[in-house]
Amino acid sequence: MSYYILKYPLKEIFHKNKIDWMIQMMLKIQKKKAKVDQKSLLDQVCPLWNVPYPEQLNQKKDFLYKTLVDLSKFCYRDMETHPTWLRNLKAKDPLCEIETVIGSPTLDGYRNKCEFTIGKTSEGAIQVGFLRGSFREGIFDVVSVDDCPHVSKEAKELCAHVTKYLSNSSLPVYNKQDNLGFWRLLSVRQNLQGDMMAVIQIRNEGYDESEMSKELEGLRKIIEEFKTPFVTHTSPDHPEATVKTFLKQIHNGVSNAASSDCIPQVIYGSGHITEVLSGFQFRISPSAFFQVNTKCAELLYTRVIDEALRPLPSNSSSNSSSNSSESEVELLLDVCCGTGTIGICASKRAKKVVGVDIIKEAVDDANNNATLNSLSNCQFFAGFLPRSGNCVAIVDPPRSGLHQDVVRALRACT
């Protein structure tokens, strides 16, 4: 239990009603904090950790079913303007059929990207790991990730390696309460071949340049020398995991998320790693979006592409022998394309692929990935959806959804 000490009696400062309100608020905060203190790290970062995986899939299917029923009720309000298939639905029917939920082939260590907070444990020891709660809940202590099943063994080893170095550093770890400290965050990405990328986020305001350079050089050495057996994915050609590239990012703001102008600077290596997905190579830069479960992403993209590019029944026999059973579509639109993963994976099934995204850096990565795979039928653009005729569109929007202008443009495609 914590106590609040005031220099003057409350009655000399606040009205009685205000005092009662303050006391109630203090009690609520203490009660909430007591509940949060009992939380384990697993409850915070992977709340379904103790639910059997088949049951997790059932829960997801039930949640999706209820969501589709709610959408159907919403559409039921204005049936006259909807297409025939939608008008035939009943209010209690889901908007579409749910076939099944495809599970992940990898359950442990599947994340190819993790961001680890650099801070202190509840005992005051320096730790690279996860926050046990949120800043809003008044929890600032960092816990080791050793027990987290979704974090790869290689990333856990690197966290321990960096923790040991920072424990002897002359520069302090970051404290969000007062926005002071140097070491803030360690971001780790890895591919299926055991290549790793590490980005150290620092706050350099108020620190001596020579001391910072010395400490970063020491960290560079221990990260460059880091080697650990590559066990997350079986790869006989790559028995060891190593950090192929190391970068630093300067961020002096209070928010956890650095702004877009805080561009990571390469300390060694190329500044990116390359992943192989469905037989295609993808260059992954520090800020690029890439599905965090690579093996599951392959299943997802394969299914989406098969459904979207399923050949339509031919209405004429003139070209029946000119195309294979898996005929190409004229134009595939990859909307919210990111680094171009979906469009590139579908490139063999379309005569032309056009990808669009509002983030220029992602589009640059997508065009680089098309070049990396020697694809001449793929083009990616930033900020607009080109006018198109007969096409197939695959949409992978952010959580905020699609802009209305994009929806209208897609509806205009026949």
Side-chain angles (χ1 to χ4, degrees), residues 277 280-283 289-290 301 332 334 336-347 353 355-357 362-367 369-370 373 375 378-380:
L277 183 69
F280 294 96
Q281 296 183 74
F282 293 94
R283 192 179 78 167
F289 172 78
F290 198 83
Y301 292 161
L332 171 68
D334 183 3
C336 306
C337 64
T339 55
T341 47
I342 295 178
I344 288 174
C345 288
S347 59
V353 174
V356 290
D357 201 289
V363 170
D364 291 341
D365 280 340
N367 282 311
N369 287 331
N373 291 281
L375 298 174
C378 295
Q379 288 182 295
F380 299 92

Short mmCIF file of all heavy atoms in Angstrom, two decimals, residues 277 280-283 289-290 301 332 334 336-347 353 355-357 362-367 369-370 373 375 378-380:
data_model
loop_
_atom_site.label_atom_id
_atom_site.label_comp_id
_atom_site.label_asym_id
_atom_site.label_seq_id
_atom_site.Cartn_x
_atom_site.Cartn_y
_atom_site.Cartn_z
N LEU A 277 9.33 -15.80 -48.77
CA LEU A 277 7.92 -16.08 -48.52
C LEU A 277 7.29 -16.61 -49.80
O LEU A 277 7.32 -15.93 -50.83
CB LEU A 277 7.21 -14.80 -48.06
CG LEU A 277 5.74 -14.91 -47.67
CD1 LEU A 277 5.57 -15.70 -46.39
CD2 LEU A 277 5.13 -13.52 -47.50
N PHE A 280 9.34 -16.23 -52.93
CA PHE A 280 9.78 -14.90 -53.31
C PHE A 280 10.62 -14.28 -52.20
O PHE A 280 10.41 -14.56 -51.02
CB PHE A 280 8.58 -13.99 -53.60
CG PHE A 280 7.78 -14.40 -54.80
CD1 PHE A 280 6.64 -15.19 -54.65
CD2 PHE A 280 8.14 -14.02 -56.08
CE1 PHE A 280 5.88 -15.58 -55.75
CE2 PHE A 280 7.39 -14.40 -57.19
CZ PHE A 280 6.26 -15.18 -57.02
N GLN A 281 11.56 -13.42 -52.59
CA GLN A 281 12.41 -12.74 -51.63
C GLN A 281 11.83 -11.36 -51.30
O GLN A 281 11.35 -10.66 -52.19
CB GLN A 281 13.83 -12.58 -52.18
CG GLN A 281 14.55 -13.88 -52.44
CD GLN A 281 15.97 -13.63 -52.91
OE1 GLN A 281 16.84 -13.24 -52.14
NE2 GLN A 281 16.20 -13.83 -54.21
N PHE A 282 11.92 -11.00 -50.02
CA PHE A 282 11.42 -9.70 -49.59
C PHE A 282 12.46 -9.03 -48.69
O PHE A 282 12.90 -9.62 -47.70
CB PHE A 282 10.10 -9.85 -48.83
CG PHE A 282 8.97 -10.32 -49.70
CD1 PHE A 282 8.66 -11.67 -49.79
CD2 PHE A 282 8.23 -9.41 -50.44
CE1 PHE A 282 7.63 -12.11 -50.60
CE2 PHE A 282 7.19 -9.85 -51.26
CZ PHE A 282 6.90 -11.19 -51.35
N ARG A 283 12.80 -7.81 -49.07
CA ARG A 283 13.73 -7.03 -48.26
C ARG A 283 12.95 -6.35 -47.14
O ARG A 283 11.98 -5.65 -47.39
CB ARG A 283 14.44 -5.97 -49.12
CG ARG A 283 15.61 -5.33 -48.41
CD ARG A 283 16.30 -4.32 -49.29
NE ARG A 283 15.56 -3.05 -49.33
CZ ARG A 283 16.07 -1.92 -49.82
NH1 ARG A 283 17.28 -1.91 -50.33
NH2 ARG A 283 15.36 -0.82 -49.83
N PHE A 289 6.36 -2.87 -42.69
CA PHE A 289 5.39 -3.81 -42.14
C PHE A 289 5.57 -5.17 -42.80
O PHE A 289 5.67 -5.28 -44.02
CB PHE A 289 3.95 -3.33 -42.38
CG PHE A 289 2.93 -4.37 -41.99
CD1 PHE A 289 2.62 -4.57 -40.65
CD2 PHE A 289 2.33 -5.17 -42.95
CE1 PHE A 289 1.71 -5.56 -40.27
CE2 PHE A 289 1.41 -6.15 -42.58
CZ PHE A 289 1.11 -6.34 -41.24
N PHE A 290 5.62 -6.19 -41.98
CA PHE A 290 5.71 -7.56 -42.48
C PHE A 290 4.96 -8.43 -41.48
O PHE A 290 5.10 -8.25 -40.26
CB PHE A 290 7.17 -8.01 -42.59
CG PHE A 290 7.39 -9.20 -43.48
CD1 PHE A 290 7.50 -9.05 -44.85
CD2 PHE A 290 7.48 -10.48 -42.94
CE1 PHE A 290 7.71 -10.14 -45.68
CE2 PHE A 290 7.68 -11.58 -43.76
CZ PHE A 290 7.80 -11.42 -45.13
N TYR A 301 -1.75 -15.96 -47.37
CA TYR A 301 -1.66 -15.41 -48.73
C TYR A 301 -2.06 -16.44 -49.78
O TYR A 301 -2.72 -16.10 -50.77
CB TYR A 301 -0.24 -14.91 -49.00
CG TYR A 301 0.15 -13.70 -48.18
CD1 TYR A 301 1.49 -13.35 -47.99
CD2 TYR A 301 -0.81 -12.90 -47.57
CE1 TYR A 301 1.85 -12.24 -47.24
CE2 TYR A 301 -0.45 -11.80 -46.82
CZ TYR A 301 0.87 -11.47 -46.66
OH TYR A 301 1.24 -10.38 -45.91
N LEU A 332 -4.55 -7.18 -61.33
CA LEU A 332 -4.74 -7.39 -59.89
C LEU A 332 -4.35 -6.11 -59.16
O LEU A 332 -3.24 -5.60 -59.33
CB LEU A 332 -3.88 -8.55 -59.38
CG LEU A 332 -3.85 -8.71 -57.86
CD1 LEU A 332 -5.21 -9.17 -57.35
CD2 LEU A 332 -2.76 -9.68 -57.42
N ASP A 334 -3.47 -4.53 -55.63
CA ASP A 334 -3.04 -4.83 -54.27
C ASP A 334 -3.19 -3.53 -53.47
O ASP A 334 -2.32 -2.66 -53.50
CB ASP A 334 -1.58 -5.32 -54.28
CG ASP A 334 -1.09 -5.72 -52.90
OD1 ASP A 334 -1.88 -5.67 -51.95
OD2 ASP A 334 0.11 -6.10 -52.79
N CYS A 336 -3.53 -1.11 -50.21
CA CYS A 336 -2.80 -1.08 -48.93
C CYS A 336 -1.69 -2.12 -48.99
O CYS A 336 -1.57 -3.00 -48.15
CB CYS A 336 -3.71 -1.33 -47.74
SG CYS A 336 -5.14 -0.25 -47.65
N CYS A 337 -0.86 -2.00 -50.03
CA CYS A 337 0.08 -3.07 -50.40
C CYS A 337 1.25 -3.20 -49.46
O CYS A 337 1.89 -4.27 -49.43
CB CYS A 337 0.60 -2.83 -51.83
SG CYS A 337 1.57 -1.31 -52.00
N GLY A 338 1.57 -2.17 -48.69
CA GLY A 338 2.75 -2.27 -47.84
C GLY A 338 4.00 -2.53 -48.65
O GLY A 338 4.28 -1.84 -49.63
N THR A 339 4.75 -3.56 -48.28
CA THR A 339 5.98 -3.89 -49.01
C THR A 339 5.72 -4.79 -50.22
O THR A 339 6.67 -5.33 -50.79
CB THR A 339 6.99 -4.57 -48.08
OG1 THR A 339 6.37 -5.71 -47.46
CG2 THR A 339 7.45 -3.62 -46.98
N GLY A 340 4.44 -4.96 -50.59
CA GLY A 340 4.11 -5.68 -51.82
C GLY A 340 4.01 -7.18 -51.69
O GLY A 340 4.02 -7.90 -52.70
N THR A 341 3.88 -7.70 -50.48
CA THR A 341 3.91 -9.15 -50.29
C THR A 341 2.78 -9.87 -51.03
O THR A 341 3.03 -10.86 -51.72
CB THR A 341 3.84 -9.50 -48.79
OG1 THR A 341 2.79 -8.73 -48.17
CG2 THR A 341 5.15 -9.19 -48.09
N ILE A 342 1.55 -9.38 -50.90
CA ILE A 342 0.42 -10.08 -51.53
C ILE A 342 0.51 -9.98 -53.06
O ILE A 342 0.39 -10.99 -53.76
CB ILE A 342 -0.91 -9.50 -51.04
CG1 ILE A 342 -1.09 -9.79 -49.54
CG2 ILE A 342 -2.08 -10.10 -51.82
CD1 ILE A 342 -2.35 -9.22 -48.94
N GLY A 343 0.74 -8.79 -53.58
CA GLY A 343 0.81 -8.62 -55.03
C GLY A 343 1.93 -9.43 -55.66
O GLY A 343 1.75 -10.05 -56.72
N ILE A 344 3.09 -9.45 -55.01
CA ILE A 344 4.23 -10.21 -55.56
C ILE A 344 3.96 -11.70 -55.49
O ILE A 344 4.26 -12.44 -56.44
CB ILE A 344 5.52 -9.82 -54.82
CG1 ILE A 344 5.94 -8.40 -55.23
CG2 ILE A 344 6.64 -10.81 -55.10
CD1 ILE A 344 7.11 -7.84 -54.46
N CYS A 345 3.37 -12.17 -54.38
CA CYS A 345 3.05 -13.60 -54.27
C CYS A 345 2.01 -14.02 -55.31
O CYS A 345 1.96 -15.20 -55.69
CB CYS A 345 2.55 -13.93 -52.86
SG CYS A 345 3.84 -13.90 -51.59
N ALA A 346 1.18 -13.07 -55.77
CA ALA A 346 0.15 -13.38 -56.77
C ALA A 346 0.60 -13.06 -58.18
O ALA A 346 -0.17 -13.24 -59.13
CB ALA A 346 -1.12 -12.59 -56.45
N SER A 347 1.84 -12.62 -58.36
CA SER A 347 2.28 -12.10 -59.66
C SER A 347 2.25 -13.13 -60.78
O SER A 347 2.11 -12.77 -61.95
CB SER A 347 3.69 -11.52 -59.53
OG SER A 347 4.61 -12.51 -59.09
N VAL A 353 0.15 -6.48 -62.05
CA VAL A 353 -0.14 -6.21 -60.65
C VAL A 353 0.15 -4.74 -60.38
O VAL A 353 1.23 -4.24 -60.70
CB VAL A 353 0.72 -7.09 -59.70
CG1 VAL A 353 0.50 -6.68 -58.25
CG2 VAL A 353 0.41 -8.56 -59.90
N GLY A 355 0.03 -2.08 -57.16
CA GLY A 355 -0.13 -1.92 -55.73
C GLY A 355 -0.16 -0.45 -55.34
O GLY A 355 0.52 0.37 -55.95
N VAL A 356 -0.96 -0.12 -54.32
CA VAL A 356 -1.05 1.27 -53.85
C VAL A 356 -0.98 1.28 -52.33
O VAL A 356 -1.49 0.38 -51.64
CB VAL A 356 -2.35 1.95 -54.32
CG1 VAL A 356 -2.33 2.21 -55.80
CG2 VAL A 356 -3.58 1.13 -53.93
N ASP A 357 -0.35 2.33 -51.81
CA ASP A 357 -0.25 2.51 -50.36
C ASP A 357 0.01 4.00 -50.11
O ASP A 357 0.56 4.69 -50.97
CB ASP A 357 0.87 1.67 -49.76
CG ASP A 357 0.69 1.42 -48.27
OD1 ASP A 357 0.84 2.36 -47.48
OD2 ASP A 357 0.39 0.26 -47.91
N ALA A 362 7.11 2.38 -47.72
CA ALA A 362 6.63 1.02 -47.97
C ALA A 362 6.57 0.75 -49.46
O ALA A 362 6.93 -0.34 -49.93
CB ALA A 362 5.27 0.81 -47.33
N VAL A 363 6.10 1.73 -50.23
CA VAL A 363 6.02 1.58 -51.69
C VAL A 363 7.41 1.43 -52.29
O VAL A 363 7.62 0.63 -53.22
CB VAL A 363 5.27 2.77 -52.30
CG1 VAL A 363 5.38 2.78 -53.82
CG2 VAL A 363 3.80 2.74 -51.89
N ASP A 364 8.38 2.19 -51.78
CA ASP A 364 9.77 2.04 -52.25
C ASP A 364 10.26 0.62 -52.01
O ASP A 364 10.91 0.01 -52.87
CB ASP A 364 10.68 3.04 -51.54
CG ASP A 364 10.41 4.48 -51.98
OD1 ASP A 364 9.81 4.66 -53.05
OD2 ASP A 364 10.81 5.40 -51.24
N ASP A 365 9.96 0.09 -50.82
CA ASP A 365 10.33 -1.30 -50.51
C ASP A 365 9.65 -2.27 -51.47
O ASP A 365 10.25 -3.26 -51.92
CB ASP A 365 9.95 -1.65 -49.07
CG ASP A 365 10.96 -1.12 -48.05
OD1 ASP A 365 12.10 -0.83 -48.45
OD2 ASP A 365 10.60 -0.99 -46.87
N ALA A 366 8.37 -2.02 -51.78
CA ALA A 366 7.63 -2.91 -52.67
C ALA A 366 8.25 -2.93 -54.07
O ALA A 366 8.41 -4.01 -54.67
CB ALA A 366 6.16 -2.46 -52.76
N ASN A 367 8.60 -1.76 -54.60
CA ASN A 367 9.23 -1.72 -55.92
C ASN A 367 10.61 -2.38 -55.89
O ASN A 367 11.00 -3.06 -56.85
CB ASN A 367 9.33 -0.27 -56.40
CG ASN A 367 8.00 0.25 -56.93
OD1 ASN A 367 7.34 -0.40 -57.74
ND2 ASN A 367 7.59 1.41 -56.46
N ASN A 369 11.38 -4.83 -53.95
CA ASN A 369 11.12 -6.27 -53.88
C ASN A 369 10.73 -6.84 -55.25
O ASN A 369 11.09 -7.97 -55.58
CB ASN A 369 10.01 -6.55 -52.86
CG ASN A 369 10.49 -6.37 -51.43
OD1 ASN A 369 11.66 -6.58 -51.13
ND2 ASN A 369 9.59 -5.99 -50.55
N ALA A 370 10.00 -6.06 -56.02
CA ALA A 370 9.67 -6.51 -57.39
C ALA A 370 10.93 -6.65 -58.22
O ALA A 370 11.10 -7.63 -58.97
CB ALA A 370 8.71 -5.52 -58.04
N ASN A 373 12.99 -9.73 -57.27
CA ASN A 373 12.46 -10.98 -57.80
C ASN A 373 12.32 -10.98 -59.33
O ASN A 373 11.69 -11.88 -59.90
CB ASN A 373 11.09 -11.26 -57.17
CG ASN A 373 11.19 -11.61 -55.70
OD1 ASN A 373 11.52 -12.74 -55.35
ND2 ASN A 373 10.92 -10.64 -54.83
N LEU A 375 10.57 -9.17 -61.41
CA LEU A 375 9.18 -9.14 -61.86
C LEU A 375 8.92 -7.87 -62.65
O LEU A 375 9.00 -6.76 -62.11
CB LEU A 375 8.24 -9.21 -60.66
CG LEU A 375 8.33 -10.50 -59.81
CD1 LEU A 375 7.45 -10.38 -58.57
CD2 LEU A 375 7.94 -11.72 -60.63
N CYS A 378 4.89 -6.01 -62.14
CA CYS A 378 4.45 -5.43 -60.86
C CYS A 378 4.89 -3.97 -60.75
O CYS A 378 6.07 -3.65 -60.95
CB CYS A 378 5.03 -6.21 -59.68
SG CYS A 378 4.45 -7.92 -59.56
N GLN A 379 3.95 -3.09 -60.41
CA GLN A 379 4.24 -1.69 -60.17
C GLN A 379 3.50 -1.24 -58.91
O GLN A 379 2.35 -1.63 -58.70
CB GLN A 379 3.80 -0.81 -61.35
CG GLN A 379 4.66 -0.96 -62.59
CD GLN A 379 4.18 -0.02 -63.69
OE1 GLN A 379 3.08 -0.16 -64.21
NE2 GLN A 379 5.00 0.96 -64.04
N PHE A 380 4.18 -0.42 -58.12
CA PHE A 380 3.59 0.03 -56.86
C PHE A 380 3.66 1.55 -56.79
O PHE A 380 4.66 2.15 -57.15
CB PHE A 380 4.33 -0.61 -55.68
CG PHE A 380 4.25 -2.11 -55.68
CD1 PHE A 380 5.22 -2.89 -56.30
CD2 PHE A 380 3.18 -2.76 -55.07
CE1 PHE A 380 5.14 -4.27 -56.31
CE2 PHE A 380 3.08 -4.15 -55.08
CZ PHE A 380 4.06 -4.90 -55.70
#
